Amino acid sequence: MAISKKELTFNKNDDAMRLKISALERELDAIYLGGGKRRIEKHKAKGKLTARERIELLLDKGCEQIEIGALAGYKMYEEHGGCPAAGVVIVIGYISGKQCIVVANDATVKAGAWFPITGKKNLRAQEIAMENRLPIIYLVDSAGVYLPLQDEIFPDKEHFGRIFRNNAVMSSQGIVQIAAVMGSCVAGGAYLPIMSDESLIVNKTGTIFLAGSYLVKAAIGESIDNETLGGATTHTEISGVCDYNTENDEECLATIRDLMDKIGHSETAGFDRKESTAPNRNVKDVYGIMPEDRSKPYDVREILECLVDDSKITEYKKNYGKSIVCAYARVDGWSVGIVANQREIVKNAKGEMQFGGVIYSDSADKAARFIMNCNQKNIPLVFLQDVTGFMVGSKSEHGGIIKDGAKLVSAMANSVVPKFTIVTGNSYGAGNYAMCGKAYDPRLIVGWPTAQIAVMGGSAAAKVLVQIEVASLKKRGEEITPEREKELYDKIKNRYDEQTSPYYAASRLWIDAIIDPVDTRKIISMGIEMASHKKSEKPYNVGVIQT
């Protein structure tokens, strides 16, 4: 039997997505090695587990987990030898049945030293803990600030010192913080254990001091070894800095599990959840539905059929504002409101053709009202981004596209229910903002391997930049041949395409992770579970908006 054109397209898309996922897995496998096999062997020769081994032993066996920022630092700091995963591993998981976030320094990467991206990643972990009232566990093994880049990590508002400010704020908010010193903990970093609720230290490998033995000798002339200066015995029997002296990594992690087992439960935010049911459609069908060519249309409802319980949605204003689909559904039992860009070619209420991925006035108006309804009904919001921006041109401007776009941004930005963003495809220009980009406080934001984030697409940007470059060269009297113009175009487009890649975004923590689309349900479900630990502290109010 002949294969239809639709089946051929599906298979081609499926192959392309699987190749992207395989490429992602290869990159992650290399990142998971941290500083490399030789440094891992040297680290373990000291009787220490690696950061990832520590987390694996700490978390409940076989529990669901989400790694935050595995690609942070990707292809950055190469002149300094690189900084895989930003030198710190961050995982949301479960300890003694309680959801929490774990932050573990990777001492195989520059002795766990803090690069600028390390600071940004640690602050992201604390932000997640504060937004969701999530217990946070620090597994400390760090040499402190990476001195060659100290000016980029030390003095500014969102730099190293913000960590300890957040320690104090979280303590005042009653958010559980436990610190385990499992290696070096020096200089300013020495404040972290004592600013946590409880602290543990591993005998013979854990040390805490403001200045090590060499600096002490240089500064005040005192000769002392590091263990006597700031080891486990010193800090549990003399200074009182730490609360628990443990013999090895395994005992330390087991003690943390015991402590987590005893903490009480807090009130919840009251989000509705029923028994989870799987989608009726295979979740891996998204591989074939998502076009390899990012300019091609598709029906986002088919994507939703693969992601939501029973493949069932209740669509809001289905026949109005068709370039955004708004729908109520359940994901792993949780009630959610979904706002998704529609890339299918559709007709508007006037019978005019509209091309997917563009936000029109009617779509913006619909989505704004839907977001307000979800806040009214205490329903978490999920944004599926595949957006090229807002519609331009005189017709849109005269119709008030800016006003309607501002209404959508205001409704979304002021939302008090938690928001979760999945960048499935394009995320361009103001569309990124309206569909809850990183600047608008999504509790989690992740991208599929097909994600692209930029002011505009590579081709469009290159055309604009080439025009500017050609005009500049002509002013200087240079002759521009078609071949020279194409050379400029290709150079600019290649650079721009690299910057729109999901890897570029993930390396800078514009997104928390690049995920296999199959994991989308897990991200949403665990995200809502963590968000349910904290009630909104303010009523929903969008402020002044033009209608």
Side-chain angles (χ1 to χ4, degrees):
M1 187 173 66
I3 298 177
S4 69
K5 184 178 179 181
K6 184 175 181 180
E7 288 173 316
L8 283 171
T9 300
F10 184 97
N11 292 338
K12 184 180 179 183
N13 292 339
D14 183 273
D15 288 343
M17 180 68 86
R18 289 178 188 273
L19 286 171
K20 287 180 184 292
I21 292 168
S22 294
L24 171 63
E25 289 172 346
R26 286 194 298 273
E27 296 292 351
L28 289 173
D29 284 343
I31 287 167
Y32 293 158
L33 290 174
K37 292 181 179 179
R38 186 178 63 82
R39 287 179 180 166
I40 289 174
E41 290 170 2
K42 188 176 178 181
H43 178 85
K44 298 185 82 164
K46 299 175 183 176
K48 300 198 291 184
L49 300 173
T50 66
R52 293 183 183 278
E53 288 173 335
R54 287 166 175 169
I55 291 175
E56 183 181 2
L57 198 58
L58 179 61
L59 295 180
D60 295 347
K61 189 173 182 179
C63 74
E64 292 277 29
Q65 53 186 265
I66 300 170
E67 182 165 352
I68 301 296
L71 286 153
Y74 178 74
K75 292 190 175 180
M76 296 171 67
Y77 313 111
E78 291 183 338
E79 68 277 21
H80 296 274
C83 189
V88 62
V89 184
I90 296 173
V91 173
I92 299 170
Y94 301 84
I95 302 174
S96 300
K98 297 180 175 69
Q99 195 180 40
C100 58
I101 186 164
V102 182
V103 181
N105 299 116
D106 185 351
T108 71
V109 179
K110 300 289 184 183
W114 287 54
F115 283 67
I117 195 66
T118 315
K120 186 173 183 179
K121 186 171 174 179
N122 275 267
L123 288 170
R124 175 63 179 141
Q126 290 186 320
E127 179 182 46
I128 290 171
M130 288 189 285
E131 284 181 331
N132 302 288
R133 201 177 179 84
L134 206 60
I136 184 167
I137 316 299
Y138 308 98
L139 306 181
V140 184
D141 193 349
S142 171
V145 167
Y146 183 63
L147 293 178
L149 297 173
Q150 64 84 27
D151 62 317
E152 298 179 42
I153 182 62
F154 172 63
D156 209 345
K157 180 178 179 180
E158 298 296 330
H159 282 177
F160 188 71
R162 190 77 171 179
I163 299 291
F164 314 118
R165 174 266 186 194
N166 287 348
N167 287 143
V169 169
M170 282 191 282
S171 182
S172 73
Q173 294 174 349
I175 298 169
V176 173
Q177 298 177 86
I178 299 173
V181 180
M182 309 181 80
S184 297
C185 183
V186 301
Y191 287 106
L192 187 144
I194 199 61
M195 296 190 76
S196 298
D197 301 334
E198 294 182 280
S199 60
L200 306 87
I201 187 168
V202 178
N203 194 29
K204 302 303 182 185
T205 55
T207 53
I208 310 172
F209 33 64
L210 295 178
S213 56
Y214 293 122
L215 186 53
V216 167
K217 176 69 173 177
I220 63 173
E222 180 183 2
S223 296
I224 189 170
D225 64 272
N226 283 339
E227 184 65 25
T228 305
L229 180 65
T233 300
T234 296
H235 284 310
T236 57
E237 297 181 18
I238 300 172
S239 72
V241 165
C242 291
D243 305 306
Y244 305 92
N245 183 349
T246 58
E247 278 304 307
N248 50 46
D249 281 10
E250 289 83 357
E251 183 184 332
C252 181
L253 298 169
T255 304
I256 296 172
R257 290 183 54 81
D258 286 342
L259 294 173
M260 286 296 296
D261 181 58
K262 307 302 186 295
I263 67 173
H265 296 271
S266 59
E267 60 181 345
T268 69
F271 305 130
D272 186 64
R273 191 180 197 186
K274 293 185 176 179
E275 185 177 347
S276 174
T277 55
N280 293 331
R281 188 165 183 177
N282 189 333
V283 67
K284 288 189 176 180
D285 280 359
V286 297
Y287 296 173
I289 297 167
M290 201 68 187
E292 177 187 13
D293 182 345
R294 297 302 313 117
S295 66
K296 297 292 185 182
Y298 64 95
D299 190 345
V300 76
R301 295 178 189 87
E302 291 192 61
I303 298 287
L304 296 181
E305 287 174 0
C306 302
L307 300 179
V308 305
D309 290 12
D310 289 327
S311 299
K312 180 183 177 183
I313 63 172
T314 303
E315 193 166 343
Y316 176 78
K317 291 184 182 289
K318 180 177 180 179
N319 297 314
Y320 179 77
K322 294 182 179 180
S323 70
I324 291 182
V325 170
C326 297
Y328 299 107
R330 289 190 182 273
V331 175
D332 197 25
W334 293 104
S335 170
V336 297
I338 297 170
V339 182
N341 299 114
Q342 171 64 299
R343 290 189 61 86
E344 187 183 29
I345 298 175
V346 296
K347 291 182 180 180
N348 65 14
K350 297 179 182 178
E352 300 162 329
M353 300 301 292
Q354 294 183 333
F355 292 89
V358 178
I359 301 176
Y360 293 81
S361 285
D362 54 357
S363 301
D365 180 70
K366 177 177 83 170
R369 180 63 180 269
F370 180 74
I371 289 167
M372 294 177 196
N373 283 340
C374 286
N375 275 271
Q376 182 83 347
K377 296 188 280 189
N378 199 30
I379 299 174
L381 286 159
V382 176
F383 293 84
L384 265 60
Q385 282 197 12
D386 192 357
V387 57
T388 52
F390 285 87
M391 189 60 189
V392 297
S394 61
K395 187 173 181 180
S396 292
E397 298 293 359
H398 296 170
I401 186 68
I402 296 174
K403 171 173 58 69
D404 291 318
K407 185 190 303 181
L408 171 55
V409 171
S410 181
M412 180 275 303
N414 284 296
S415 178
V416 296
V417 295
K419 300 170 292 195
F420 303 90
T421 302
I422 317 295
V423 185
T424 62
N426 301 332
S427 179
Y428 295 158
N432 170 280
Y433 301 162
M435 293 294 294
C436 196
K438 183 65 182 287
Y440 292 84
D441 301 318
R443 300 295 178 96
L444 292 172
I445 176 170
V446 298
W448 287 1
T450 43
Q452 296 180 340
I453 303 173
V455 172
M456 63 179 73
S459 180
K463 287 175 183 176
V464 172
L465 292 170
V466 163
Q467 288 176 16
I468 295 170
E469 181 72 10
V470 167
S472 176
L473 292 171
K474 284 181 176 178
K475 279 184 180 180
R476 297 204 296 265
E478 294 189 32
E479 186 68 29
I480 305 300
T481 64
E483 292 77 18
R484 171 64 172 150
E485 189 168 332
K486 184 179 184 305
E487 182 185 332
L488 284 170
Y489 172 85
D490 290 342
K491 181 180 178 182
I492 293 170
K493 185 177 184 300
N494 289 339
R495 184 181 74 242
Y496 205 88
D497 283 344
E498 181 184 346
Q499 293 176 353
T500 64
S501 149
Y503 291 90
Y504 193 90
S507 71
R508 289 153 179 81
L509 286 173
W510 300 346
I511 56 177
D512 292 318
I514 303 175
I515 65 164
D516 183 333
V518 167
D519 291 329
T520 303
R521 279 172 58 86
K522 179 181 76 173
I523 295 289
I524 295 168
S525 178
M526 286 184 66
I528 297 175
E529 182 183 351
M530 73 180 189
S532 71
H533 297 145
K534 184 178 180 181
K535 284 187 175 182
S536 172
E537 296 171 352
K538 61 178 183 177
Y540 185 55
N541 186 342
V542 296
V544 177
I545 57 173
Q546 293 189 42
T547 58

